[in-house]
Every structure is written in C-alpha cells, then in structure tokens.
Amino acid sequence: MSSTPFDFDHEALLKELGDFQQQLTRGFNNLAEIETIDVGTSPREEVYRENKLRLFRYRPLVNNPHPVPLLIVYALVNRPYMVDLQPDRSLVRRLLESGIDVYLVDWGYPDREDRLLTLHDYLNGYLLRCVEQIGRRHSLEAINLLGICQGGTFSLCFSAMHPQRVRNLITMVTPVDFSTEGNLLAHFMRSIDVDQLIEAYGNVPGELLNWAFLALKPFRLVSQKYVNLVEILDSREKALNFLRMEKWIFDSPDQPGEVFREFVRQFFQENRLMTGEAEIGGKRIDLHALKMPILNIYATQDHLVPPAASLALGDCVENDDYTVAAFHGGHIGIYVSSRAQKEIPAAIADWLRQRR
C-alpha cells in the first residue's frame, strides 16, 4: 500500500513525546533546585558609600597590579554586575587577571528622595568624590576611567569638566552622536514628551524603560530567545547562565526624574555633545578640549548604540592619542561572549600598560 503525505511513524512520535516529557521534567527539576541566582562573584570590598551609591574595589589577582587604578563607570539604566556576571563571563575578572587594579561605581536604586538630583549632582558630586577617594587611596591626582554605554557619556562629560583627574579615558559602546541614521533608541527618545513623563511619574520607572528597550528588537529580544528554553533548562549550568542574564535584563532601577530629563533633552533631543552646547552645572562640555589618551571601543552589531554613534567621538576630539577598537558583536555580547572575554580585557590592559 502506497504511503500518503499523512502517514507517520506512531512509535517514533510516541518516543519523541516521551523524550520531550523527560527533558521537560529535568528542566523543572533544575529550576526547582536553583535557590539563588548568583551574580557579581569576584571578591570585592566597599570603600566608599554616599546615599544610594557604593564604590567597590575588586581584590587584585596579581602581586603588583598596574600602578594607576581603573574606575568602571556604568550606566544608570541597568545594574553594573553585567561586567562581572559569572566567573567565565566577567570583564572585571579578566581585567584583574591582566594585572589591572579595578574599582566600580554602583549607582544603586534611586527612589523618590532622589527625583530632583541632576547630572551636576551625579558627575560633579558623586563621581568626582569617588575619583577623589581612589586618588587618596593611591596617592594620585588622576586615575583611569572606563565608561560603559551611558556611563561612557558620563565619563566623557566628567573628563571634559575635570581633565586633571583623568589620566587615560576608555569609552565602550558609548553614544556620542545621538542623531545618527538608524538609531532606533534615539528616534524613540526624541519623540517622547519628557516633561509630561516626569510630571506623571516623578522618577521614570525602570520597568517602563526596560520594555521600551526590548521593543526595539521584539522578536530577537522577547520571543526568539525562549524558543530553545526546554533544551537550555535541561542543563543546570545552561539554566543558570540563562537566569543570570534574565535577572540582569529585568533588574532595571528607576531613573531620577531630573537626571532623565536633562539627559534626554540635552543629548537625545538636542544632540548637544556634537554641537558643543552641552552644559552641566553651568560648565560647558567641550569634547575638543579632551587631551588625555582615549580608547574608544564600539560593537559592530550594536542595536542600542550603533557604530556611527560611537565613532562620532573621533570627530569631536583633537587628540594625537586617540585609538578606535572594533568588537565584532553586539551590545550585550561585548560583555559576556567568549570572544569578548578573549579580546576586550586584553585590549584594554595592553593599551593601559603602554600609557603609564
């Protein structure tokens, strides 16, 4: 008897369903056994605290680390443990292994009492005092800065206002030109009524911003990653990797209202970094005046900070020691991919060692 398109192997189907059920059961068991999702595993100590902010120093992993410490300045919109997610996916750990003395600013979780804080309070207040604390600990006037994403924009502004405090500046997936073609996030931010948003909320809910970011690539960031979830959960190690990333994605602090208003208006809506008209605390931010060595690292497949938005820094600095480094990956991969673990920390450490 000839077969038809509707013929199928019943035994193979039953076996496949049985295997799937067993796999699903193992996945549920793995989830049930995971009590905590540990992140930020590199040993560190708190060396300074102010309001919600905490300044950490990571325990050096070599006997004689680089004499000038490196302060990592992360964005306000996400938690900084992305740079130390787990031992094998840790920018911090790889830098420590390369002999860099690493500090990190943790901005904390702003609440209603912080809604009137400004960029001046954050950069000429909190960040400046962190840099001064590190300087005193190491008897240095200037230290090295690594600014990441929005933290890179902060670091550029800080370095322009306090050039005597920054010996070497590294920017990583950092937006500079907020009007480049194809920048979906900038297009979205330009369209919002920031005054009405802050009047309604006071502080901007982190959950609201998080879903806005996910909506920029809804299939890849919301749907596609769950397609192979059963296979992921079948392995306890893969399940933990997945849950750590999920924890970071949805761990979004609220944004202080005035800081958000200033940042959106000056940078996203008016692109003042490029025009040279940005002001913080009455000081004009002139990127052309940056004379310290600068390493600008961008990601070629970045959907949040397109390459052109980062590469525009080269048009804004008049500096004989300006270096550009490309990472062939995306905005998240630059922290946690196996390629990033091999390439990014080594590039940073080598660059710093040449500029003591």
Side-chain angles (χ1 to χ4, degrees):
M1 182 175 180
S2 61
S3 62
T4 71
F6 302 102
D7 288 340
F8 57 89
D9 189 331
H10 292 79
E11 292 185 2
L13 176 62
L14 290 174
K15 182 178 186 306
E16 185 173 344
L17 289 174
D19 291 344
F20 178 80
Q21 185 178 21
Q22 292 178 13
Q23 191 176 44
L24 193 61
T25 300
R26 289 195 300 270
F28 281 126
N29 288 337
N30 283 332
L31 284 177
E33 292 172 359
I34 297 174
E35 297 181 356
T36 60
I37 304 171
D38 56 321
V39 292
T41 57
S42 296
R44 64 185 188 176
E45 64 171 326
E46 181 183 311
V47 297
Y48 179 70
R49 178 189 290 246
E50 182 179 355
N51 193 9
K52 311 300 187 302
L53 175 146
R54 291 187 293 171
L55 174 65
F56 292 100
R57 184 192 187 190
Y58 289 91
R59 186 183 303 163
L61 295 181
V62 299
N63 291 330
N64 296 299
H66 191 284
V68 182
L70 176 70
L71 173 61
I72 298 177
V73 182
Y74 204 76
L76 289 174
V77 296
N78 289 110
R79 299 290 293 136
Y81 55 75
M82 173 54 81
V83 298
D84 186 34
L85 195 63
Q86 60 192 59
D88 61 338
R89 302 162 86 186
S90 172
L91 172 66
V92 166
R93 189 176 291 262
R94 303 290 90 76
L95 287 171
L96 293 170
E97 291 170 350
S98 298
I100 305 300
D101 198 344
V102 182
Y103 287 77
L104 172 77
V105 173
D106 183 336
W107 302 111
Y109 294 88
D111 56 26
R112 282 190 58 80
E113 73 174 6
D114 304 307
R115 67 189 184 280
L116 299 180
L117 292 176
T118 64
L119 288 174
H120 170 69
D121 295 316
Y122 271 83
L123 302 188
N124 297 318
Y126 292 149
L127 184 53
L128 176 59
R129 288 189 283 275
C130 286
V131 172
E132 290 173 341
Q133 285 284 334
I134 298 170
R136 281 194 290 270
R137 290 173 62 90
H138 295 265
S139 300
L140 294 170
E141 178 71 14
I143 66 170
N144 298 324
L145 282 189
L146 167 56
I148 298 176
C149 192
Q150 183 192 38
T153 308
F154 286 172
S155 297
L156 285 169
C157 294
F158 178 86
S159 299
M161 292 186 290
H162 305 281
Q164 76 282 3
R165 294 290 187 180
V166 182
R167 182 171 299 191
N168 299 291
L169 173 61
I170 303 164
T171 55
M172 187 167 151
V173 290
T174 291
V176 178
D177 186 346
F178 290 77
S179 65
T180 56
E181 186 176 352
N183 192 332
L184 295 179
L185 178 60
H187 180 76
F188 170 76
M189 289 296 185
R190 285 196 296 272
S191 67
I192 68 173
D193 186 333
V194 67
D195 294 326
Q196 187 175 37
L197 183 66
I198 293 168
E199 182 179 350
Y201 288 104
N203 288 338
V204 181
E207 183 178 4
L208 179 66
L209 287 177
N210 190 57
W211 282 110
F213 295 149
L214 293 176
L216 297 176
K217 298 186 76 171
F219 176 70
R220 182 173 180 181
L221 299 179
V222 179
S223 303
Q224 187 181 33
K225 67 178 180 179
Y226 297 115
V227 170
N228 296 321
L229 189 56
V230 173
E231 286 77 9
I232 291 171
L233 297 182
D234 192 28
S235 163
R236 177 181 171 83
E237 182 178 351
K238 289 181 180 179
L240 275 170
N241 291 348
F242 178 83
L243 291 173
R244 290 187 187 105
M245 186 64 70
E246 290 293 282
K247 176 182 175 70
W248 177 80
I249 289 173
F250 293 101
D251 187 3
S252 302
D254 294 346
Q255 300 299 291
E258 288 305 314
V259 168
F260 186 81
R261 189 200 313 268
E262 280 187 84
F263 196 86
V264 169
R265 183 170 291 160
Q266 289 208 56
F267 302 128
F268 279 109
Q269 297 182 344
E270 299 175 1
N271 206 23
R272 290 192 183 185
L273 269 185
M274 292 299 294
T275 64
E277 299 173 304
E279 285 191 5
I280 296 176
K283 296 182 179 180
R284 189 169 71 89
I285 308 302
D286 182 9
L287 299 184
H288 291 87
L290 294 176
K291 301 304 179 185
M292 72 284 294
I294 299 174
L295 171 61
N296 186 17
I297 306 171
Y298 72 98
T300 60
Q301 300 169 31
D302 197 327
H303 73 287
L304 287 178
V305 184
S310 290
L311 290 172
L313 180 58
D315 299 325
C316 298
V317 296
E318 299 171 359
N319 192 327
D320 293 334
D321 194 350
Y322 173 73
T323 305
V324 175
F327 170 73
H328 299 287
H331 193 84
I332 305 301
I334 201 169
Y335 310 113
V336 297
S337 70
S338 56
R339 174 185 290 175
Q341 297 301 299
K342 296 175 183 177
E343 295 180 3
I344 300 300
I348 292 172
D350 290 345
W351 187 82
L352 287 175
R353 277 192 289 265
Q354 296 170 21
R355 291 162 178 81
R356 295 200 178 194

